[in-house]
Amino acid sequence: MSVKRRVARDGAGEAGSGFVKGLSDLIEKLGDLAETGREMRREGVLGEGDQLKGVYGFRMKVGHGGDAVDIEPFGNVKLDKKSRQAVVHEVREPLFDVIEEKDRILVIAEMPGITTDDISVSVDGDVMNVEASRRDRKYSKEILLPKPVLRSRIKVACNNGIVEISCPLK
């Protein structure tokens, strides 16, 4: 069953069901997030079983009182600006967090199916480039670091697809 068929059968124009209900649920969640200062994450897939072709999603963080909103997309489905169509790319953009600690920057990324040996990390100035590839899984992400780090002392660890990159501060 294709995504277009699912949307058409989902009752997109009917109040209380399908797309409209999903949108109203999202708006309600946004209100809750603004009050509590939490995060929300939604994701989906295109295709079924071995025919999985696309992974998409977003994570949104909201500060207390709705002061700061940070929306981070992830996956390998992107919108083509010219055709306004969703395009599935070979390389996925992983979901990640940058945590600033006293003596280091810790980057945590979700890369299912990846091991430590599959990961390549490079730093140029304040930009970190993380790439990983294993069989049919490919990931790439460019990350802006909040402070300069010692490139020669970066350590990478991976456990069950959760990648931790420890970057000692200069």
Side-chain angles (χ1 to χ4, degrees), residues 59 61 70 72 95-101 104-109 126 128 130 141-147 149 163 165 167 169:
R59 176 178 62 184
K61 297 178 187 176
D70 187 20
E72 301 165 356
L95 185 61
F96 73 97
D97 278 313
V98 177
I99 302 166
E100 200 170 336
E101 296 180 343
R104 70 177 180 164
I105 303 291
L106 182 61
V107 176
I108 300 174
D126 61 351
M128 173 184 284
V130 180
K141 182 68 179 177
E142 196 173 83
I143 301 165
L144 183 62
L145 298 173
K147 293 182 179 175
V149 298
V163 178
I165 306 168
C167 310
L169 295 174

Side-chain angles (χ1 to χ4, degrees), residues 42 85-86 91 99 106 117 133 159:
R42 294 288 184 260
Q85 298 291 320
V91 179
I99 302 166
L106 182 61
D117 295 335
S133 179
N159 187 13

Side-chain angles (χ1 to χ4, degrees), residues 3 44-47 52-58 73-80 85-93:
V3 174
V45 295
L46 300 174
L52 178 64
K53 295 184 179 184
V55 177
Y56 61 92
F58 71 92
F74 61 91
N76 64 338
V77 178
K78 306 289 182 202
L79 181 65
D80 179 52
Q85 298 291 320
V87 178
V88 177
H89 295 271
E90 183 179 6
V91 179
R92 298 179 187 184
E93 185 174 335

Side-chain angles (χ1 to χ4, degrees), residues 21-157:
K21 181 171 180 355
L23 187 57
S24 65
D25 290 347
L26 178 61
I27 292 170
E28 184 179 328
K29 289 275 189 199
L30 291 175
D32 293 345
L33 288 173
E35 291 176 15
T36 61
R38 297 187 335 219
E39 82 174 37
M40 179 175 74
R41 176 178 163 165
R42 294 288 184 260
E43 57 191 64
V45 295
L46 300 174
E48 296 177 10
D50 292 340
Q51 300 300 316
L52 178 64
K53 295 184 179 184
V55 177
Y56 61 92
F58 71 92
R59 176 178 62 184
M60 181 172 49
K61 297 178 187 176
V62 179
H64 284 288
D67 292 340
V69 176
D70 187 20
I71 300 173
E72 301 165 356
F74 61 91
N76 64 338
V77 178
K78 306 289 182 202
L79 181 65
D80 179 52
K81 294 186 194 252
K82 287 185 181 180
S83 68
R84 305 288 297 158
Q85 298 291 320
V87 178
V88 177
H89 295 271
E90 183 179 6
V91 179
R92 298 179 187 184
E93 185 174 335
L95 185 61
F96 73 97
D97 278 313
V98 177
I99 302 166
E100 200 170 336
E101 296 180 343
K102 180 179 154 187
D103 58 346
R104 70 177 180 164
I105 303 291
L106 182 61
V107 176
I108 300 174
E110 292 183 20
M111 296 187 204
I114 297 296
T115 67
T116 305
D117 295 335
D118 305 323
I119 301 167
S120 169
V121 176
S122 64
V123 177
D124 185 16
D126 61 351
V127 177
M128 173 184 284
N129 190 26
V130 180
E131 294 181 350
S133 179
R134 181 179 183 93
R135 293 194 235 17
D136 64 338
R137 304 266 177 135
K138 294 180 182 175
Y139 298 89
S140 180
K141 182 68 179 177
E142 196 173 83
I143 301 165
L144 183 62
L145 298 173
K147 293 182 179 175
V149 298
L150 295 169
R151 290 186 289 192
S152 62
R153 297 191 42 216
I154 291 175
K155 293 184 180 170
V156 179

